Amino acid sequence: MTRCAATRSREGRERCAARTLVGLAAIAALALDQGCASRPVNERIIDAATEDGYSVLRHVEGRPNHDPSTLFVLAFSGGGTRAAAFSYGVLEELRRTPIVVDGRPRRLLDDVDVISSVSGGSFTALAYAMYGERLFAEYDSRFLNRDVEGALLARAFNPFYWPRLAGGSFGRSELAADYYDEILFEGATFGDLAAKPTPVSVPSATDLATGDRFPFRQGIFNLICSDLATVRLSRAAAASSAVPVVLSPVTFNNYGGSCGFRFPAWITEEAATLSPYADVGRALRRLQELQSLENSEARPYLHLVDGGVSDNVALRAIVEFLEAVGAGRRGDTVPILRDVRRVVVIVVNAASSPTINWGRIPSAPGIFDQLWQASSVPIDRYSYESIDLLDDLVSRWALERQLAIADARLAGTSASQAPTRPALELYVIDASFRDVADPKERQYLENLPTSFVLPPGAVDRLRAAAGSVLRASPRYRDLVDALGGHPLDADGKQSQ
């Protein structure tokens, strides 16, 4: 019963109804005043040479815990809250694992330099870059165990927000970005991360027009002559997780070609050596993709969607980078590798593998099931291909070094002068659901939905699975041993 209906007299009801109509009109006017809302516009820079912003190299080298002999990268996959929770479990395990660097004890988490991420994994990566230690006290309640999907749907169906979504350039993903600010990011920008000792966070989206990866780092923003430091973390997270059709693209202005940008010398020098090698076609194509961003007359706007569309395990950039370095047969020309002897990559892969019984029924699946399967199957298969490429790269480098050294010895020349791949130790560790020991638990995790809300208890089971998968990995145990630490046992206790 409404307040007006509860009023006894007809006159009173009419006055009450009139006041209600006035109130509704006022609310509508306020909403319409916000109508045709415009999206945030990324700021332009005039001189790319002097605007280094949130630079990967500068941030990594400036971290107080940085070990110059090791480049440590985490790659967080997509998969909604499922991926966010699994990635968070990996951070927790690294935090629990002690190592020794230069005679000083610390945690393995302190050694992480870069976190590459897409979609759901980007929330964990960006939140850790922002909060650091505070994340472990707040992330559960602020994001992982919250019904983010329900809240976004409620806003989409709330008439108060309709004028903002009707017309203009303010889409559903911008509405989502505002919500992410409220619950997690608090309006922080990439500029706010620059002074923090946490790893550099590089979330990626996908350019809808070309299908190319678009990572949020200043080197890429220099290409489009824009300042990453002023971009809100929530917009990067929204772009990285903007599932096509379900959510709108996140649009950025492209000012490329107007700020005097030049590719770093090591890239142009290495690019000149790439063409003779058949195994670096991906690196060459990536360079061409980046160069196309400089033509802002042809592409003044970039519409970005879910990063999982182009790289669901956030690994392609790492593969292409190492291929380009390896093709040049040296790593000393690359600034970030100048003193590095060891490269560590932990791939946190939350790809699902839901049980599908279509082969048991005579009728074909419905159109929505077909569309979902047609999009998810290639993405998941592409994810495992990226991991296999990196594994192959490691094996190929090791074999070629051995062969080159053997040839040098047979020729009677110095092995140190052999034209081998860079003398880097590569540790590639794959943490995925397929490595969960318990078949029933593995099936449960693989059938969790790709959404921003999970069933009760799922978050804790994902976190526990991440820790157990790492502890059971021989490559992970080898890494901890190499860093002077002691891996935890299967129960998460310190082994001797």
Side-chain angles (χ1 to χ4, degrees), residues 146-193:
R146 187 188 291 265
D147 184 357
V148 173
E149 190 166 297
L152 292 177
L153 284 172
R155 293 196 176 196
F157 285 103
N158 186 337
F160 182 80
Y161 294 99
W162 292 352
R164 304 185 73 187
L165 298 172
S169 55
F170 189 96
R172 296 183 300 281
S173 287
E174 299 293 354
L175 191 68
D178 286 350
Y179 178 68
Y180 302 151
D181 264 333
E182 292 176 23
I183 64 171
L184 187 62
F185 295 116
E186 302 176 352
T189 66
F190 281 92
D192 295 322
L193 302 183

Side-chain angles (χ1 to χ4, degrees), residues 470-482:
L470 277 184
R471 291 192 296 272
S473 167
R475 290 185 181 182
Y476 179 74
R477 299 180 71 84
D478 289 345
L479 169 65
V480 177
D481 285 339

Side-chain angles (χ1 to χ4, degrees), residues 396-439:
R396 189 165 67 246
W397 280 22
L399 178 60
E400 289 188 9
R401 280 199 299 270
Q402 293 171 4
L403 292 174
I405 292 172
D407 289 344
R409 287 174 178 169
L410 288 174
T413 59
S414 171
S416 63
Q417 297 176 355
T420 66
R421 304 285 188 179
L424 299 172
E425 290 182 84
L426 293 179
Y427 290 82
V428 179
I429 299 158
D430 176 20
S432 63
F433 296 155
R434 63 183 176 182
D435 296 318
V436 174
D438 184 341

Side-chain angles (χ1 to χ4, degrees), residues 12 50 94 188 258 291 317 448:
T50 61
L94 299 180
S258 65
Q291 290 172 333
L448 287 173

Side-chain angles (χ1 to χ4, degrees), residues 67 69-70 72 98-102 104 106-108 111 342 344 427 476-486:
D67 175 7
S69 68
T70 301
F72 199 135
I99 59 171
V100 178
V101 176
D102 295 331
R104 293 174 297 173
R106 66 194 210 192
R107 309 165 308 176
L108 188 53
D111 251 26
R342 180 188 301 112
V344 178
Y427 290 82
Y476 179 74
R477 299 180 71 84
D478 289 345
L479 169 65
V480 177
D481 285 339
L483 294 174
H486 299 283

